[in-house]
Amino acid sequence: MATFDDILEQIGQFDLFQKQLFFIMCFISAVFSPIYVGIVFLGLVPEFRCANPGAEDLRSKCGWSLEEQLNYTVPGLYDSTDQLYMSQCFQYDVDWNRTSLSCLNPLINISDSGESREPIISCRDGWVYNTTGVSIVTEFNLVCADSWKLDLFQSCVNLGFFLGSLFIGYIADRFGRKPCLLISLLITAVFGVLVAFAPTYPWVVFFRFVQGLVSKGSWLSGYILVAEFVGSDHRRTVGIVYQVAFTVGLLVLSGVAYGVTNWRWLQLIVTLPNFVFLTYYWCVPESPRWLISQNRKAEAKVIIQSIAKKNKKPIPETLEGLTADEDYGEKQVPSFLDLVRTPQIRKHTFILMYTWFACAVLYQGLIMHMGSTGDNIYLDFFISAMVEFPAAFIIIVTVDRIGRRYPWAVGCLVAGFACIITAFIPDGLNWLRVTLSCVSRMGITLSYEMVCLVNAELYPTYIRNLGIMVCSSMCDLGGIITPFIVYRLADIWKDLPLIVFAVLGILSGILVLLLPETKGKMLPETIEEVEHLHK
């Protein structure tokens, strides 16, 4: 009996139909990037200080410089990071309009040590922001005592990704890739617009959370559809380029954010394309692989015939073999237990879960730890995204010549060892630190793209989407805790996060070597085929 891969060899593994499908699905990957990292621009934190109308009047009258504003900083405090932060969130409890204050000796109540004998209180008149744009921070005043709310905003998105991974994958495997894709796109679009028009901070967080619940499902459903429509000879290329489209989305996002400095308009602009993607209902068919696994071979046959017609190939005679019920037995219903029921799939699940987690922590953590290379956040973001292209090139060059496992393991190990070396480089050698940081970023990006590629190749068709969603949910868990690793451990030692990254990366590289090589192999259709992959 003919399998779908046998049919693809006759109707085209990557001809006109697959190329058109792949091209339009890449737009979904690109538009997902603002949801994943959009907080960088939506939540910009500019320089700020307490608003104090009385002090402002005195400053204007006396002609003081910014450094001499009494409600912002005073001589002796300006070089102290901790006290400067305090001066952003607190002010002196002074009536600046009283007649005893003069321009000649306004600091009479400030001692030589820089400590004030005046009482200090929290900002009571709001804040003044040194920016011309509007971000979530400036609109809802997410600073000082409320600064944690910005972290909550991003954590809710990652929590949505995590919870969505637990049921979106099941829906895709239970009811089909296409319904899951379209429903996810619709909900993502609707709630993305609601975020842009949310009147208060709690509503912003709630709408963003719901958007996170489903948006990752649309990205992964698109990836699965692409992987299941092409032959094994082209699967790795389209998988890598699909992720490169995500990087292109990052580059475009930096340009759009540079021109649109109001977070509501930016949110609206990056959301509206999702409504356009709903037209895919008429041009994207259901996956024949999934239909066959569900014993719906008549529907799969119709789609295969349309693919052959589009590719200008003759309809293969072996197509009739797909109609025999005994080929795949009864309809298979996906279950979470199938991910741990058998020895090899259980091993794959645990290793992939850890690798997804490690990749997320290193990928996001390295961006946070490296910081900006200048004062222009848009340029810094653009440059950091550009580093991902060499990683994709390395995969394309090596993955079919060497295989999946060894480039993947090397990427993890390089990222890990580069992190540990960077931690012990003296501060004076900044060029070396930056270079090694870029090497780490390329290494973990290579690993990130490889885990997406191989994850789809290590599960049978009927639980493939479920397997990817459950394993990749660890990526979202990593995204939730990464800020705590970076900022809390840095309080102990600024390079301690790099040591943690190194341990995670090196261990991931070792575990990857325990997975079977999938180079040149057909996508497995049954659990038995997966169990024999290592042989």
Side-chain angles (χ1 to χ4, degrees), residues 176-192:
R177 278 54 163 149
K178 182 177 177 179
C180 181
L181 174 68
L182 295 174
I183 293 174
S184 299
L185 287 171
L186 176 61
I187 298 176
T188 298
V190 170
F191 279 86

Side-chain angles (χ1 to χ4, degrees), residues 39-52:
I39 186 62
V40 175
F41 300 112
L42 297 178
L44 285 176
V45 184
E47 294 181 359
F48 64 94
R49 56 185 173 84
C50 288
N52 193 319

Side-chain angles (χ1 to χ4, degrees), residues 297-311:
K297 300 181 182 65
E299 298 173 58
K301 179 180 176 181
V302 173
I303 296 174
I304 292 172
Q305 289 172 338
S306 66
I307 295 174
K309 182 178 179 180
K310 185 74 172 181
N311 291 341

Side-chain angles (χ1 to χ4, degrees), residues 165-184:
S165 299
L166 302 180
F167 69 86
I168 293 293
Y170 176 84
I171 291 174
D173 284 330
R174 182 69 176 85
F175 301 103
R177 278 54 163 149
K178 182 177 177 179
C180 181
L181 174 68
L182 295 174
I183 293 174
S184 299

Side-chain angles (χ1 to χ4, degrees), residues 267-449:
Q267 171 69 20
L268 191 62
I269 290 172
V270 300
T271 297
L272 291 179
N274 287 282
F275 286 104
V276 178
F277 299 152
L278 296 177
T279 60
Y280 288 5
Y281 174 84
W282 291 278
C283 53
V284 175
E286 182 57 87
S287 167
R289 291 183 189 273
W290 179 82
L291 291 171
I292 294 170
S293 72
Q294 300 299 300
N295 202 21
R296 294 163 59 177
K297 300 181 182 65
E299 298 173 58
K301 179 180 176 181
V302 173
I303 296 174
I304 292 172
Q305 289 172 338
S306 66
I307 295 174
K309 182 178 179 180
K310 185 74 172 181
N311 291 341
K312 298 181 180 179
K313 301 286 186 179
I315 298 176
E317 297 179 359
T318 54
L319 181 60
E320 295 299 326
L322 291 174
T323 60
D325 291 340
E326 63 268 22
D327 288 352
Y328 291 90
E330 296 181 358
K331 179 179 178 180
Q332 295 175 294
V333 178
S335 167
F336 286 100
L337 289 178
D338 291 330
L339 300 179
V340 294
R341 195 187 307 275
T342 57
Q344 291 302 316
I345 291 183
R346 182 165 56 246
K347 182 180 73 173
H348 298 171
T349 298
F350 290 142
I351 293 178
L352 289 170
M353 289 174 70
Y354 173 80
T355 304
W356 276 104
F357 173 83
C359 285
V361 173
L362 266 73
Y363 182 83
Q364 298 185 34
L366 286 172
I367 295 175
M368 296 178 186
H369 190 268
M370 184 176 183
S372 61
T373 57
D375 296 329
N376 192 329
I377 188 174
Y378 305 99
L379 180 61
D380 297 338
F381 188 86
F382 184 88
I383 293 174
S384 66
M386 289 291 293
V387 176
E388 299 186 8
F389 287 105
F393 176 77
I394 291 172
I395 294 177
I396 292 174
V397 170
T398 62
V399 74
D400 276 344
R401 293 174 174 84
I402 301 175
R404 271 68 159 158
R405 283 193 308 169
Y406 293 115
W408 185 5
V410 169
C412 295
L413 295 173
V414 166
F417 282 113
C419 285
I420 200 169
I421 294 173
T422 304
F424 295 100
I425 293 178
D427 292 336
L429 299 175
N430 288 334
W431 64 270
L432 184 56
R433 293 177 65 90
V434 171
T435 300
L436 286 174
S437 296
C438 290
V439 172
S440 302
R441 178 73 181 273
M442 284 191 291
I444 201 59
T445 299
L446 186 151
S447 177
Y448 224 147
E449 295 182 357

